[in-house]
Structure formats: C-alpha cells, structure tokens
Amino acid sequence: MSTPTYESLQEIVEHENKDYPVGVYYVQPDEMFMEHVRWHWHTEIEIDFIKEGRAEYRVGEQNFTLSAGQAVLINQNIMHCIKAADESPCVIMSLIFSPNFLFPQKDSVTAKNYLLPIQSDEGFRTRIFDPKDRFGRNVISYLEDIIYCNLQKEFGYELQTQSLLCHLWLLFLSKADTERIHTTADVTPKKSMNPDEMRIKDAIVFIAGNYSDSITLEDIADSIHISKSECCRCFKRAVNMTPFEYLMHYRILKAAEAIQRGEPLSVSELAFSVGFNNVSYFNKRFREYFGCTPTEYRKMAKTEHRDKLSTFGLSLSHI
C-alpha cells in the first residue's frame, strides 16, 4: 500500500516486503476522489502501463495523454498527477520500484556506471513508450512480463523480477546520454525537481502548518522568499493551481479527513477548524469539491461509499 504525506506531497510507498522494494499497483483515477491521482512525488521510480481507456498526465510543466497500450516512466522525486482523459473507465497498472533493488551500494562503480546515467539524463525525467516503435515495444514487453510475474508470484518471482528489471535498465541505458556521463570526471546526479517544484514543496509545508489560520498570499510568498506575483507563477507552472486554490483545496481535504475520522464537530466548528470564518462559503466550496454538503458527506462516510470518498487520491490498491 502507499501512505500519502500531503504536508510535502511526498507519497511513502510501503511495499509488502521491505527487502523486496517492488510493487505492482492497480490504479483507477476515475474511482478516486475528484477522479484523479493527486499531485505527489516519491523516491521510487514509477512506470505506468495504460491497460484500459486514456489517462492524462501532468508531470511538472508537461501535460500529455496516453492511450491503452502505451506506458510512461516517471523518475524519482518528480511531482506528477493523473486523471482519466474522458468519461470512459481508465485502468493503469503501475510498477513502482526502488533503484536500490538493482544498485544497493550507491557509491559503487556499478551504480556510477549504470545508475547515474539515468538519474542524470533529462530525457529520463519522464519518458513515454509507444508500442508503435521498436524501443517502446521492447520496454513494454519487459514491463508486461514484470507485471505478470508479480501478479502470479510463483516460486522465485523476486529473482525473475530482478533479472527482468536489469534487462529493462539496459534498454534505458541504450537511450541515455552515457557518452557524456563517462567522459565527465566528476558527475553528480541532477536535482530531479526544478526550482519551481522545490519552492512549491516549501510553500506547501508552510500551508500544511498554518492552513487553520488566516494566511494570505503574502504570507505564502514570504515563506519562500519571493514576490506574490512570482509565487502565483511558480504554483501555476508547478501544479497548475494558484496558491489560493491550493489552500482552499487543502482546507477542504482536511475537513473531509476529520469527517472520515468521525470527529464530533458541528459544520460551523468544522469550518473554523480548517481556516474558514464563513460557514456558507465553506459549504459552497465543500460542495464544489465533493458534490455534496459536509452533512451529506458525513452520512455517506458511514456507508459502503467510504472507499469512493477517500481523500487520498493516490491510495493505490496493491495487487
């Protein structure tokens, strides 16, 4: 399973076996809160295979749509979100694994020669694989084998997965800028997050610690030492929201979490606890996000609809 820690948008992926940091997850964006996998990042590498329908990805400033049969790699520490591209069901098989599974010693010659090129290559910040070209077909073939292997879990599947991942990694290396890497005396991995994303992480930490107070755009901008206008531009470029939109979004999610925990608060108490000083406005914004009032949400949270109401848009079901 995965544990979202939204104070920094980091998703902590908890695999079934800590000694086997590989997981295959079944993801249906249209079955999640607000029908999308929320903005998040993690220290593992993610490779998604679109099994059914069409999925719209936003990775940093990139925006692209994938159809059934295509796949995409999202490297470590890259902020991204996913939603269904249309009203048809969208099913994604997501492979998430730690590079430590292949390169347990980060300072080893092996890691320097074979891990660092992928970590340092801008072309592998995110990369789309299409079955129409040979490279894409080969990647997807290995990916399907890894997914199948981890679904069946026959004897020795961990070793087989490691072998398949090694072959897959060699394919990636064939496309990486290895010549530049090996002709540079002292190479260090590039920061996966761009300056906008790093600023936004800090701003989000500030919002998480102060959302219940009357914070302003100026407060958010001051927390990351930039102007209000630049703060708005950073948020828009990195997560396609304004700071105010993110603050409202976060407050409503915290209210929904309180309801799901069964906290015995009246609607007005709930509104004030998450930073709203106007109950009518709180009800209006809550309905915009959830399609119901807080009172209706509380009733539904006690029924079979609980999974659908999860605020954790990136809670992935482990196969």
Side-chain angles (χ1 to χ4, degrees):
M1 63 177 292
S2 58
T3 303
T5 57
Y6 286 122
E7 284 70 17
S8 64
L9 292 186
Q10 182 182 6
E11 176 195 19
I12 307 299
V13 180
E14 296 178 353
H15 299 292
E16 285 186 335
N17 185 343
K18 292 182 179 180
D19 295 325
Y20 180 66
V22 179
V24 171
Y25 302 88
Y26 179 88
V27 185
Q28 281 188 278
D30 52 308
E31 290 295 322
M32 294 176 173
F33 166 60
M34 291 182 67
E35 301 184 348
H36 75 292
V37 179
R38 291 178 55 204
W39 281 103
H40 68 288
W41 60 277
H42 38 71
T43 58
E44 292 81 11
I45 290 174
E46 176 177 338
I47 309 178
D48 292 347
F49 175 72
I50 314 304
K51 184 175 177 63
E52 296 178 23
R54 298 169 69 243
E56 183 179 328
Y57 282 75
R58 186 171 178 88
V59 184
E61 295 182 55
Q62 287 183 277
N63 207 1
F64 52 86
T65 299
L66 301 181
S67 300
Q70 293 183 302
V72 60
L73 176 145
I74 301 170
N75 216 322
Q76 298 170 280
N77 305 318
I78 303 298
M79 287 179 29
H80 57 286
C81 67
I82 315 166
K83 67 178 183 178
D86 47 46
E87 294 182 359
S88 301
C90 176
V91 177
I92 301 169
M93 302 301 293
S94 183
L95 169 67
I96 299 180
F97 67 97
S98 171
N100 295 339
F101 185 52
L102 302 180
F103 308 97
Q105 296 180 338
K106 296 180 181 179
D107 297 327
S108 68
V109 173
T110 303
K112 182 178 179 181
N113 288 341
Y114 303 117
L115 173 61
L116 191 55
I118 301 300
Q119 289 181 325
S120 304
D121 194 319
E122 285 292 337
F124 277 88
R125 175 182 168 86
T126 179
R127 194 175 190 104
I128 296 171
F129 308 109
D130 194 305
K132 293 179 182 179
D133 64 76
R134 183 178 179 183
F135 176 68
R137 282 196 303 274
N138 288 338
V139 169
I140 291 170
S141 177
Y142 279 116
L143 179 58
E144 289 178 323
D145 287 345
I146 293 169
I147 290 172
Y148 179 81
C149 189
N150 283 269
L151 292 179
Q152 298 301 311
K153 293 188 176 180
E154 296 177 351
F155 178 76
Y157 77 94
E158 300 96 335
L159 290 176
Q160 188 175 357
T161 296
Q162 190 172 44
S163 174
L164 290 166
L165 279 173
C166 282
H167 282 86
L168 185 59
W169 202 266
L170 281 171
L171 272 180
F172 294 159
L173 285 166
S174 72
K175 291 292 184 179
D177 191 3
T178 52
E179 182 177 351
R180 176 183 59 78
I181 294 295
H182 290 301
T183 55
T184 304
D186 184 21
V187 178
T188 55
K190 295 177 182 177
K191 291 182 178 179
S192 298
M193 289 192 178
N194 61 40
D196 281 345
E197 292 169 330
M198 288 188 284
R199 283 173 173 172
I200 296 310
K201 274 186 62 182
D202 291 339
I204 284 169
V205 169
F206 173 79
I207 290 172
N210 298 276
Y211 70 92
S212 59
D213 300 327
S214 297
I215 59 177
T216 64
L217 171 59
E218 186 173 8
D219 294 328
I220 298 171
D222 286 347
S223 74
I224 52 176
H225 313 294
I226 59 176
S227 68
K228 291 187 290 184
S229 58
E230 181 60 18
C231 182
C232 289
R233 286 192 289 268
C234 282
F235 263 85
K236 203 66 177 176
R237 288 191 296 256
V239 295
N240 200 31
M241 292 183 189
T242 67
F244 180 75
E245 287 170 340
Y246 181 83
L247 175 61
M248 291 299 102
H249 190 91
Y250 192 86
R251 284 172 168 169
I252 294 299
L253 289 176
K254 298 304 285 188
E257 288 174 20
I259 291 173
Q260 288 196 13
R261 288 195 299 269
E263 294 185 12
L265 300 173
S266 67
V267 174
S268 59
E269 289 172 332
L270 183 63
F272 295 140
S273 73
V274 296
F276 287 90
N277 54 21
N278 184 303
V279 178
S280 295
Y281 184 61
F282 168 67
N283 279 326
K284 177 183 177 182
R285 295 308 299 259
F286 197 98
R287 182 182 285 278
E288 286 176 1
Y289 284 109
F290 285 93
C292 63
T293 66
T295 301
E296 292 168 338
Y297 186 91
R298 195 189 303 273
K299 291 178 181 178
M300 288 190 289
K302 297 177 182 179
T303 71
E304 67 275 14
H305 300 290
R306 186 177 184 86
D307 290 341
K308 178 69 173 177
L309 295 176
S310 174
T311 61
F312 298 145
L314 55 96
S315 295
L316 310 180
S317 301
H318 192 278
I319 299 296

